[in-house]
Amino acid sequence: MNARLVVLVSGEGTNLQALIDACEDEDYGATVVAVGADRDGTGALDRAARHDIPTFTRKVRDFTSRADWDQALADDCQRYRPDLVVSAGFMKLVGKRFLGVFGGRFLNTHPALLPSFPGMHGVRDALDYGVKVTGCTVFLVDEGTDSGPVLAQAAVEVLDDDDEATLHERIKVSERKLLVDTVGRMAREGWTAESARKVRLGQ
Ligand code: GRF
């Protein structure tokens, strides 16, 4: 049976699109059952609508506390009974309540080689530091910022003439492939936590 994916988004949604496209192959092993967002009017929500995938939006500002927002987001996700929740460019940190339900099966993608350059500006920070190689990381989300156990990484060369936009675009090509490969393997083969930090794909 296919793994059920809920994908959380905030932006353009090219990672979401890559997952939707991968799920069209019945051997991939997963289906996007819903897309959740923290804001309206994004390309990602348009992509979900084009594929008739149900969507929900929860804005932090509509709640009196962050904890209430966190609970509402968890409830929305839970309605779709996901096996995995994927943060694909979702620009919010979830809290204890969300992780209480989805911890260990909530993954995120980050446009840098963690633990280097966590946070909102991973591409810019890598460029400013002057590294020659950066990349992308798919990891299980914990309570910190981009600090959970790493599932997979891919390296991307930094070119002399790169600016933030050109480098990010090149990273995103790798990121989409890494995310699709990792989610597919988790769906088909499962994963094993060997310790608090080490997770292996497969049983
Ligand atoms: C990705 O690079 C993700 O890692 C970052 O924002 C980008 C989202 O791109 N946080 P998209 O919305 O999937 O096109």
Side-chain angles (χ1 to χ4, degrees):
M1 213 174 63
N2 274 358
R4 298 171 64 82
L5 310 179
V6 168
V7 183
L8 300 181
V9 295
S10 300
E12 201 189 340
T14 63
N15 281 285
L16 167 66
Q17 187 71 55
L19 286 169
I20 293 171
D21 294 346
C23 288
E24 277 174 10
D25 178 351
E26 60 184 32
D27 293 334
Y28 182 64
T31 307
V32 180
V33 294
V35 172
D38 64 330
R39 61 196 74 182
D40 299 318
T42 63
L45 286 175
D46 294 342
R47 290 175 194 270
R50 276 204 292 280
H51 291 270
D52 294 324
I53 298 170
T55 62
F56 55 88
T57 302
R58 289 289 179 188
K59 300 175 195 165
V60 172
R61 68 162 182 268
D62 291 341
F63 293 84
T64 47
S65 74
R66 185 85 184 198
D68 287 349
W69 171 80
D70 195 49
Q71 182 70 59
L73 186 72
D75 291 346
D76 282 335
C77 289
Q78 220 163 5
R79 235 164 257 135
Y80 294 95
R81 294 177 288 105
D83 298 298
L84 288 173
V85 181
V86 182
S87 166
F90 185 61
M91 303 308 275
K92 289 282 180 301
L93 290 177
V94 299
K96 279 191 188 341
R97 294 183 185 186
F98 190 94
L99 289 174
V101 183
F102 296 112
R105 55 194 174 109
F106 178 39
L107 51 142
N108 191 10
T109 170
H110 181 71
L113 289 175
L114 295 171
S116 293
F117 314 118
M120 296 283 282
H121 304 293
V123 178
R124 189 192 306 168
D125 293 344
L127 209 50
D128 288 350
Y129 192 92
V131 294
K132 303 299 184 196
V133 175
T134 183
C136 47
T137 303
V138 176
F139 63 99
L140 286 173
V141 179
D142 67 8
E143 286 183 19
T145 301
D146 300 329
S147 57
V150 171
L151 290 160
Q153 293 185 300
V156 173
E157 197 183 344
V158 181
L159 304 180
D160 289 341
D161 294 334
D162 266 333
D163 58 23
E164 188 178 354
T166 59
L167 180 57
H168 199 177
E169 266 321 299
R170 225 166 45 257
I171 290 172
K172 283 177 71 170
V173 173
S174 290
E175 200 178 8
R176 291 190 283 268
K177 182 176 183 320
L178 191 73
L179 184 65
V180 164
D181 289 351
T182 307
V183 169
R185 285 195 61 191
M186 291 174 85
R188 293 186 304 272
E189 303 165 28
W191 64 100
T192 311
E194 294 182 329
S195 69
R197 283 239 53 94
K198 289 200 179 174
V199 182
R200 187 163 48 80
L201 296 177
Q203 300 291 340

